[in-house]
């Protein structure tokens, strides 16, 4: 029976949430005051009371010795993102069977990571943190900041996809298109980034990837020297401005 | 033939996993990985599971000695990464992959000093493509602090002047990248305040106001005025001061150079007072407490002295003569200062008896290791002394003979060189002679007690030291010769034993072969008999057939049908 499966069944409508075992919201901060820049990324539990936001902001400022003007900015930013998350919360999203490709392309201090793999969207027991832990362990990454950064990157992408599926669910309800066949409803409707399941998992094909594709899905971890880091940072700044 | 069998080693799988088979999916798998078997998704099916499983296990078995990581396989498999990880951990848990392969994770962080633990670890390192490791300085997130619990980061202090490499290792030594290793938790700075006092004694030159590190010149009329070497040479004195009035004081060298007399005093006082450094320093008047300690540590047997005066007795019965031993130590000291050569008998290298010295050095040490482990801390001299007592008298005698001949050869040379008293020609660069030179220089400038004393001691002790030198060399040579001879005996004996064992083995093999041949002979015999027997049987059978046919013919052939059957029978008989 399917009752205990962690996977959402096809065509089911679930209340919006991040499709991982912990419903944590990825929060990203990028605040600049008087030439001082504060960037951070972490996960927040949306069930925490909002009063925690201010407490957290104050503590962060104190720990990092930032000027006090940051407190309000940080708190505001977090609050905005949380509110946005909550706005989706009451709504439904389709979970159907969807496997999406997740791409990692991030730089954390001196480590550059590029990776590409598939993630099943309706697997509500998935754990980006566990994936990040295994990744760091297998690749021998010693920098303790890399793991959480990876987990947050994954969460952000999942968040985005979840948001998309909510909007698509809304659209479909509005358009009232009647019954559509099959499990691939959401796949076809909500965008091209889902993977064609029939092609990959159908009986005619093997789930072993072709060798020439192995490089595409292989993780690349680079340790940069100081100069390269500076160069990359300068480039990023230019892009933002 | 054998090589093929080596390649075909069976893969080891733990006994609790013997349910596994390539062609089936077992209950265990169905139970643990339910998602594949409940038809909940098109992405999961038994066929898909089997493909994953077979691929992962085959991948692992391509090289069973290395630990297969999830990252290596997941790039080759299509599917949700979490479910792939689940399959991977399942297989790993049941030992179907990575069975008994140790991880080499911890090796990475050891600054390249450690090697990976598992044998396959190195291959794994090479196999990681796209991985560039550049290490600069301490690992990220680690701060090097001065003491385990203090938060002060370490600036590069110069190592304390009196704590030398031996004693200060691990504390004062500068490690890679200019970092000073934080001292161990057990480190306690016992001599810290002494170091402070020492530092205060740094002298400043009167004219150029710099520190006089090495020799400086003290103005005798006014004790407090000093000039550094450079200023003195450049003639830059204050008014009313003449060159003659300056006395050379090798303050910097004072703690570096130890005369034999001082060393003797030091050793005597250490034996007498044991660990009480204040008293020792008092006895050795010209050297500070710290100097004494560091000097003692430098001497190769010095760490034996740390402890108590109880050891005195041990030293005594080894050579039978305390003074002799002291001289041996002095000689050792001297030769160390000469050439920093570990081999104390470098002068005897060309002696034929010392041929096997290099090889046999392992042997005597081996012997010693069978005795209590405290012996391993003894210096070479001590070990040699021990060996000479352990060895039989005839060995010692022959060794002594050889040593004496060697020394006679040398004797003439040394006599010639040391003959000239007043000629301070540069001799064999022994520290003792350098000391003499400096003393002579000091003498030239203006006599003071210190330099004069050493000068007087110099020539008078010259001749004495020669005798002592030779005596010591004789003692050393004897001991080493004894060791060598003993070692040779042992080696011979071992060889004989080896030969004997080889002979036994060969005999055993031959016996085996003979038995086998005999067995085969017996078999052949039996075969032949059986053969004969069977042939007889065959003949009798043929005879019987003939009989039967005969009777048939005698009784006449009734119908042509039987004729045909008879024909066929006759046909088959023929």
């Amino acid at each position: 029976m399917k009752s205990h499966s962690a996977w959402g069944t096809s065509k089911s409508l679930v209340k919006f949430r991040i499709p991982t075992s912990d419903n944590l919201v990825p929060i990203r901060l990028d605040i600049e005051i008087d030439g001082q820049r504060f960037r951070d990324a972490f996960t927040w539990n949306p069930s925490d009371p909002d009063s925690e936001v201010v407490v957290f902001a104050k503590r962060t400022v104190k720990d990092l010795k930032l000027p006090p003007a940051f407190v309000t900015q940080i708190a505001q930013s977090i609050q905005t993102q949380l509110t946005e998350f909550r706005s989706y919360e009451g709504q439904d999203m389709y979970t159907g069977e969807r496997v999406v490709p997740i791409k990692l392309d991030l730089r954390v201090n001196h480590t550059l990571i590029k990776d590409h793999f598939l993630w099943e969207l309706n697997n509500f027991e998935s754990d980006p943190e566990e994936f990040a832990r295994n990744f760091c362990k297998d690749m021998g990454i010693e920098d303790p900041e890399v793991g959480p950064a990876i987990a947050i990157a994954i969460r952000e992408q999942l968040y985005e996809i979840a948001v998309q599926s909510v909007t698509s669910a809304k659209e479909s309800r509005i358009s009232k298109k009647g019954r559509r066949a099959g499990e691939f409803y959401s796949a076809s409707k909500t965008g091209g980034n889902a993977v064609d399941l029939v092609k990959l998992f159908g009986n005619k094909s093997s789930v072993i990837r072709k060798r020439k594709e192995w490089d595409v899905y292989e993780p690349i971890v680079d340790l940069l020297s100081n100069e390269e880091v500076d160069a990359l940072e300068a480039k990023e700044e230019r892009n933002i401005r | 033939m054998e090589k093929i069998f080596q390649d075909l080693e069976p893969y080891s799988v733990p006994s609790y996993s013997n349910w596994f088979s390539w062609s089936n999916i077992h209950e265990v798998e169905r139970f643990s990985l339910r998602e594949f078997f409940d038809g909940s998704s098109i992405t999961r099916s038994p066929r898909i599971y089997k493909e994953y499983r077979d691929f992962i296990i085959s991948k692992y078995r391509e090289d069973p000695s290395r630990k297969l990581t999830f990252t290596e396989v997941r790039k080759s498999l299509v599917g949700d990464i979490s479910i792939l990880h689940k399959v991977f951990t399942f297989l790993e848990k049941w030992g179907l992959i990575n069975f008994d392969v140790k991880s080499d994770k911890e090796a990475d962080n050891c600054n390249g000093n450690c090697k990976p633990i598992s044998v396959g670890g190195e291959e794994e390192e090479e196999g990681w493509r796209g991985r560039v490791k550049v290490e600069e300085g301490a690992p990220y997130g680690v701060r090097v602090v001065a003491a385990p619990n203090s938060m002060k980061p370490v600036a590069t202090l110069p190592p304390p002047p009196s704590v030398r490499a031996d004693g200060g290792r691990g504390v004062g030594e500068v490690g890679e990248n200019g970092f000073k290793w934080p001292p161990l938790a057990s480190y306690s700075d016992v001599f810290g305040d002494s170091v402070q006092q020492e530092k205060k004694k740094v002298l400043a030159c009167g004219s150029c106001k710099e520190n006089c590190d090495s020799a400086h010149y003290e103005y005798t009329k006014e004790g407090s005025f000093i000039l550094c070497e450079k200023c003195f040479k450049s003639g830059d004195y204050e008014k009313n001061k003449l060159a003659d009035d300056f006395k050379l004081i090798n303050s910097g060298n004072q703690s570096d150079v130890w005369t034999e007399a001082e060393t003797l005093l030091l050793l005597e006082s250490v034996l007498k007072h044991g660990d009480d450094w204040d008293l020792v320093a008092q006895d050795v008047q010209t050297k500070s407490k710290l100097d004494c300690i560091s000097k003692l540590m430098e001497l190769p047997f010095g760490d034996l002295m740390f402890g108590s005066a109880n050891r005195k007795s041990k030293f005594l019965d080894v050579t039978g003569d305390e003074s002799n031993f002291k001289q041996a130590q002095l000689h050792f000291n001297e030769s160390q200062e000469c050439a920093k050569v570990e081999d104390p008998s470098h002068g005897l290298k060309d002696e034929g008896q010392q041929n096997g010295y290099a090889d046999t050095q392992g042997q005597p040490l081996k012997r010693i290791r069978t005795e209590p482990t405290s012996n391993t801390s003894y210096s070479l001299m001590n070990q040699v002394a021990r060996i000479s007592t352990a060895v039989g008298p005839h060995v010692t005698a022959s060794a002594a003979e050889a040593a004496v001949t060697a020394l006679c050869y040398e004797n003439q040379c040394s006599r010639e060189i040391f003959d000239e008293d007043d000629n301070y020609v540069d001799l064999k660069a022994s520290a003792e002679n350098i000391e003499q030179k400096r003393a002579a220089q000091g003498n030239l400038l203006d006599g003071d007690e210190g330099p004069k004393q050493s000068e007087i001691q110099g020539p008078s002790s010259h001749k004495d030291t020669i005798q002592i030198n030779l005596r010591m060399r004789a003692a050393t040579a004897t001991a080493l010769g004894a060791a060598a001879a003993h070692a040779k005996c042992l080696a011979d004996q071992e060889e004989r034993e080896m030969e004997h064992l080889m002979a036994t083995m060969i005999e055993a093999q031959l016996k085996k072969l003979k038995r086998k041949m005999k067995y085969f002979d017996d078999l052949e015999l039996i075969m032949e008999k059986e053969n004969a027997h069977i042939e007889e049987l065959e003949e009798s059978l043929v005879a019987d057939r003939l009989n039967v046919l005969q009777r048939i013919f005698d009784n006449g052939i009734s119908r042509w049908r039987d004729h045909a059957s008879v024909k066929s029978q006759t046909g088959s008989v023929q």
Side-chain angles (χ1 to χ4, degrees), chain B residues 481-502:
Chain B
H486 196 219
K488 184 143 191 333
C489 289
L490 282 174
D492 284 339
Q493 196 194 4
E494 277 207 37
E495 241 194 272
R496 268 180 274 129
E497 267 189 52
M498 282 202 305
E499 282 173 22
H500 177 70
L501 285 172
M502 277 295 289

Side-chain angles (χ1 to χ4, degrees), chain A residues 7 97 115 118-120 123 134-135 137-139 142 200-202 205-207 209 214 217 219 221 223, chain B residues 35 40-42 44 47 51 70-71 74-81 85 105 128 130-133:
Chain A
W7 273 257
E97 281 179 28
D115 200 358
L118 296 173
W119 193 279
E120 187 155 9
N123 176 6
N134 284 326
F135 185 88
K137 190 174 74 156
D138 283 349
M139 303 303 285
E142 293 140 4
L200 282 186
F201 293 100
S205 62
S206 157
V207 278
R209 238 186 264 280
W214 283 12
Y217 290 89
V221 174
L223 282 175
Chain B
E35 306 87 13
S40 52
S41 160
I42 190 174
R44 297 182 291 277
R47 172 191 73 91
E51 281 193 24
F70 174 59
T71 311
R74 54 108 152 156
K75 69 181 185 223
S76 327
L77 296 173
V78 175
D80 173 42
I81 197 121
H85 188 71
K105 266 306 118 206
W128 285 353
R131 179 166 160 76
V132 175
K133 197 164 173 92

Side-chain angles (χ1 to χ4, degrees), chain A residues 108 113 128-129 131-133 136 141 143-153:
Chain A
V108 179
I113 295 176
E129 276 77 24
F131 171 79
R133 263 201 304 277
C136 290
I141 294 173
D143 187 351
E145 292 187 25
V146 174
I150 294 176
I152 289 171

